[in-house]
Amino acid sequence: MTDLVTVEDYRRKSRRVLPAVLYDHLEGGAGDESLLARNRDSLTAVRLRPRYLRDVSVRDQRTTLFGRQHSAPLAIAPTGLNGAIRPGGDVFLARAAARAGIPFVLSTPAQNTIEEVSREADGDLWFQLYVVERGLAEELVARALAAGYSTLVLTVDVPVNGLRHRDRRNGFGLPLRMTPRILLDGARHPGWSTRFLRSGMPELANLTASAATGTDAAHALLRRQLDASFTWRDLAWLRRLWPHDLLVKGVLHPDDAARAVDCGADGIIVSNHGGRQLGEGPSTMEVLPGVLAKVDSPVLVDSGFRTGADIVKAVCLGASAVLIGRAALYGLAAGGEAGVDAVLDILRTEIDTTMSLIGATRIADLDRTYVQLPASWH
Ligand SMILES: Cc1cc2nc3c(=O)[nH]c(=O)nc-3n(C[C@H](O)[C@H](O)[C@H](O)COP(=O)(O)O)c2cc1C
């Protein structure tokens, strides 16, 4: 028996076990945080239209993405500071994704290196790139290539960091400043504190392990001082560096999606960074149909997905797969590697149940006929 049966249950548990400053960092959004609600509201507003008296005794949610087969239309999104939630967090997430048969995206500000993760997890590994400066980007891309990563994900929605007021109020940043408030917070969460004290201050492992950089790049990345002059022309440069699949993450405008494909991207990730960057932007479900209408390449989506039914809705609209950020981190915070396994299991079971209940047996069956969009979206 377990009382953790939904992703929401894992969220509540992670709130109990994490220090408040860290939970706020994980959960918080930009600006007035209304985009967090908008992401959820849009998913709720899309209705599923079930069809009955069909044979749904055998279901199959396997999904082919860029020529590789996965167990579900699902991937774990890149999230920095996984090691602050659990030491070893990047490896735990990557191994759980490999066991579940879905891709894992390692983020640039990870606490386990590109090489460590590929040694520990044998699944489909993708690497997410933040460009702090070009020389470092070239080096990271070369390392990901040498370590066998299949896909490079360029995140474009962080020309500067979003206005995350919770983090600013809490004084959250790395290295964690040991203020009396944070020490008290830690004392109230002994499980997390014991692990933290044993493993030491989380570092940006990919940058400290870098030959070309010292602390400057780590410092810049921690403060999210990315290369704000990076443009479409530089995307073409990156395309030349990376011979495998290249995705552009953070696209919200159909014209940007088309431009990314013109520059050689193999696919698009429609994302508002989980509501953490431009707080006044649209929900991803609202813009997904417009992006799909503009490009023929695979379009993935994230931001606000918490249930298998949410994922089925996006696939019905035409998304090739959904990435989950916080959902996987709730599992990691609440139960370590086993917690991530459990969350992935919950989502895959919910996808399966939802498909049965709407009368679909294969991912290829899922289409617009199964969804009803809010009238205001037309
Ligand atoms: C704690 C946290 C850290 C994140 N770090 C990164 C990152 O390093 N790179 C990146 O491209 N996106 C990052 N994101 C955004 C996620 O990749 C993803 O777009 C977002 O989490 C999806 O929304 P969801 O959390 O509601 O599933 C982060 C998100 C969270 C919650």
Side-chain angles (χ1 to χ4, degrees):
M1 275 280 283
T2 172
D3 53 355
L4 298 171
V5 299
T6 64
V7 168
E8 172 61 12
D9 293 335
Y10 277 89
R11 183 193 67 77
R12 279 199 284 262
K13 181 158 183 200
S14 61
R15 181 174 206 160
R16 286 198 301 277
V17 301
L18 288 177
V21 290
L22 201 53
Y23 178 78
D24 271 350
H25 175 70
L26 156 63
E27 192 62 5
D32 64 6
E33 298 199 338
S34 59
L35 183 51
L36 300 182
R38 211 144 57 243
N39 280 335
R40 288 297 313 144
D41 290 349
S42 298
L43 279 159
T44 309
V46 174
R47 299 275 189 253
L48 287 168
R49 303 169 73 210
R51 306 297 305 276
Y52 295 116
L53 292 178
R54 292 175 172 182
D55 180 355
V56 292
S57 52
V58 180
R59 278 113 33 209
D60 181 358
Q61 57 177 285
R62 279 175 302 173
T63 302
T64 302
L65 269 181
F66 306 107
R68 294 181 296 281
Q69 201 180 68
H70 302 289
S71 72
L74 185 60
I76 296 188
T79 49
L81 306 191
N82 295 332
I85 291 172
R86 274 274 170 155
D90 299 295
V91 164
F92 293 165
L93 287 158
R95 286 204 297 233
R99 266 192 301 278
I102 62 168
F104 167 73
V105 195
L106 182 71
S107 87
T108 294
Q111 278 69 66
N112 291 119
T113 63
I114 293 170
E115 294 78 12
E116 259 174 321
V117 169
S118 81
R119 260 197 314 272
E120 295 286 335
D122 55 5
D124 187 9
L125 295 174
W126 301 5
F127 180 67
Q128 176 267 327
L129 182 68
Y130 279 138
V131 178
V132 180
E133 51 99 1
R134 316 285 156 107
L136 173 62
E138 273 189 44
E139 185 192 311
L140 290 172
V141 167
R143 283 172 58 192
L145 190 60
Y149 286 61
S150 72
T151 304
L152 183 69
V153 176
L154 175 73
T155 299
V156 295
D157 57 5
V158 190
V160 298
N161 207 25
L163 294 169
R164 304 195 193 145
H165 301 316
R166 291 199 214 194
D167 285 352
R168 295 165 72 200
R169 280 190 204 105
N170 290 335
F172 178 82
L174 277 189
L176 272 180
R177 277 188 295 137
M178 290 301 152
T179 60
R181 189 168 149 220
I182 288 183
L183 287 171
L184 186 63
D185 202 359
R188 289 199 183 112
H189 300 89
W192 180 87
S193 302
T194 310
R195 280 188 292 269
F196 177 80
L197 289 172
R198 260 197 230 125
S199 64
M201 189 65 75
E203 289 189 345
L204 303 191
N206 285 318
L207 274 51
T208 34
S210 153
T213 62
T215 48
D216 277 1
H219 212 248
L221 189 55
L222 283 171
R223 273 160 193 63
R224 285 290 216 282
Q225 285 156 350
L226 305 190
D227 183 350
S229 69
F230 198 90
T231 67
W232 293 109
R233 196 173 328 133
D234 303 302
L235 176 57
W237 161 80
L238 195 61
R239 173 68 286 182
R240 288 194 293 277
L241 290 183
W242 182 257
H244 305 315
D245 295 315
L246 171 66
L247 308 187
V248 175
K249 172 175 181 279
V251 171
L252 290 171
H253 197 291
D255 292 348
D256 279 357
R259 183 112 191 232
V261 171
D262 282 347
C263 290
D266 299 288
I268 302 295
I269 303 177
V270 171
S271 169
N272 56 35
H273 218 104
R276 297 161 76 81
Q277 281 299 109
L278 176 69
E280 296 71 23
S283 74
T284 52
M285 284 297 268
E286 283 172 296
V287 299
L288 180 62
V291 169
L292 283 159
K294 195 82 183 212
V295 295
D296 292 328
S297 312
V299 175
L300 292 77
V301 62
D302 73 21
S303 299
F305 289 79
R306 301 287 182 271
T307 69
D310 292 341
I311 294 164
V312 169
K313 289 174 183 179
V315 176
C316 286
L317 279 184
S320 299
V322 168
L323 289 86
I324 50 159
R326 293 183 187 83
L329 296 182
Y330 300 149
L332 181 67
E337 191 165 348
V340 186
D341 284 337
V343 161
L344 296 179
D345 202 44
I346 286 170
L347 291 173
R348 286 193 302 156
T349 304
E350 289 178 349
I351 291 171
D352 182 65
T353 306
T354 306
M355 286 175 65
S356 320
L357 287 172
I358 63 173
T361 57
R362 294 169 314 138
I363 290 297
D365 293 343
L366 299 176
D367 63 21
R368 291 287 273 266
T369 63
Y370 289 101
V371 283
Q372 185 180 318
L373 302 185
S376 59
W377 292 13
H378 293 299

